[in-house]
Every structure is written in structure tokens, then in C-alpha cells.
Amino acid sequence: MTAPDSSPPDGTAEATGRPTRVDARRNRERLLAVARDAFAATGGKAPLDAIAREAGVGIGTLYRHFPTREALVEAIYASELDAVVTSAPALLSQFPPEAALRAWMDRYAAFFAAKRGISDTLRAGWASGAIATPATRERITAAIAVILDAGVRAGSLRADVEPDEVTMMLLGVFLSTTAGDSHELTGRLLDLVVDALRPTAEDRPQG
């Protein structure tokens, strides 16, 4: 287990042997990363004690952060969704809108693929109320809108396409492919979506 920080922000003394806030946050992030990969590899069936061992913590530490498997799955989903949504402005700061959109699509594709490994637990949790139903589609569509707006202003993306229409096209790509399909196939389909969003000569302002 990670050694306690020598200067804990909450004043916890080393002698207590309790983890600091920094250590706790690090352990939580490590558990989420390991669990995400383990669930993706096993279809959500990875044992929690194996996840704890791989993360380098005890099973008690895992349960302190995530009292149930559902709580762990919910945290993975929320963390990955946050990462996808918040990446839109960051990508726009690095690339032109068209390239930012294509890079963001790859992020979204990875999120969707990771969700396959925990889909059964998510659906059961949503149905029972054990896992809160997230506003996934709304947040994804809002992220797309940010990039589309930038592309319209730059003249590199069509102005007559609604963000929710792009969401539907992307869902069509992801739902029509399976976990066994190649990344190359998904990439080609996403390239076609981007091609469809480029303005034609008739769409461009005449000057």
C-alpha cells in the first residue's frame, strides 16, 4: 500500500498509519484504472480482490472507496464520461475544429468500448436504482456542439447539422460494430462521419 505522505493536508500524523488525502486519491484513481481495464478484459466479471491486488492495495481499501461492485462500476462510468466530455475544449485548444472532432470521436469510441465490459452491471443498476441514471446523451451532445460551433465559425464544418444528429450517427457506428471488430474498421467509419460533416462548395459562403 502507498506510504503515507509526510505532510498530510488534513493533519493526519504518520504515527496513526492512516492514509492521507493525497494517498487516498491516488489509490482511488489507481483502482479505477485497474478496474476499468479488468472489466473490459473479462466482460465485467473480474473479482474485486484481484483488482485490489493489481492496484497494489488491500481489499479493505477497495471497499472503503467502493462498498459494492455497483459503486465501483458507477465510478468508472462517471470518470470515463467526464474525461470524454471535458476533452472537447482541450482538443480544440490543440487542433483545428475538424481535427479536434476526429480526435474526440476516438475518445468517445474508447469510452463506448470500455462501457461494453460493464454494461450488464450498469443496466441492472439503473433498473434497480442502485446506480444513478446519468445524462450521458445530453452531455455527449453538448460536447459535440462545442466542436461543431467552432468548426462552423472556422468554415470547416457544416452549419446545417444538429449536434444530436452527430450523436445518432456515432451511436450507429458503435452499435453496428462489435468488440471483435478491428479498430481500423471503426476508424474508417468515423472518417466517413467526418467527411459527411465537411461543407460542400454550395455550403460555403460566396464572396
Side-chain angles (χ1 to χ4, degrees):
M1 187 171 179
T2 307
D5 189 286
S6 60
S7 301
D10 59 355
T12 302
E14 282 189 34
T16 66
R18 296 175 183 171
T20 67
R21 291 177 185 173
V22 171
D23 291 324
R25 183 169 62 251
R26 187 183 301 119
N27 286 341
R28 186 179 190 277
E29 292 171 354
R30 176 65 178 158
L31 283 164
L32 286 175
V34 170
R36 178 196 62 213
D37 294 343
F39 286 153
T42 64
K45 308 298 184 185
L48 297 187
D49 57 347
I51 291 172
R53 283 197 304 273
E54 178 65 23
V57 301
I59 189 65
T61 297
L62 185 149
Y63 281 125
R64 278 197 296 274
H65 289 286
F66 311 107
T68 64
R69 178 179 289 267
E70 290 78 10
L72 177 56
V73 166
E74 182 176 20
I76 292 170
Y77 188 86
S79 175
E80 295 298 301
L81 178 59
D82 285 346
V84 172
V85 171
T86 58
S87 69
L91 289 169
L92 279 172
S93 71
Q94 300 174 53
F95 306 109
E98 186 179 354
L101 179 62
R102 184 62 184 83
W104 183 87
M105 287 179 178
D106 282 337
R107 300 278 185 95
Y108 186 24
F111 165 75
F112 201 93
K115 190 180 75 169
R116 285 190 171 111
I118 56 176
S119 58
D120 289 344
T121 302
L122 282 171
R123 282 194 294 267
W126 290 335
S128 67
I131 298 177
T133 304
T136 303
R137 181 157 176 163
E138 292 84 351
R139 296 185 65 194
I140 290 294
T141 301
I144 291 171
V146 169
I147 304 177
L148 282 183
D149 287 346
V152 170
R153 291 193 300 271
S156 59
L157 295 172
R158 290 169 55 171
D160 62 338
V161 177
E162 295 297 326
D164 194 52
E165 294 172 336
V166 180
T167 301
M168 288 188 280
M169 285 192 288
L170 294 177
L171 289 175
V173 169
F174 302 145
L175 292 172
S176 64
T177 56
T178 66
D181 287 326
S182 69
H183 293 298
E184 289 78 11
L185 173 59
T186 300
R188 287 197 301 272
L189 294 173
L190 294 179
D191 288 341
L192 289 173
V193 173
V194 173
D195 284 343
L197 296 175
R198 292 191 178 101
T200 64
E202 291 77 13
D203 296 323
R204 294 188 176 92
Q206 303 298 315

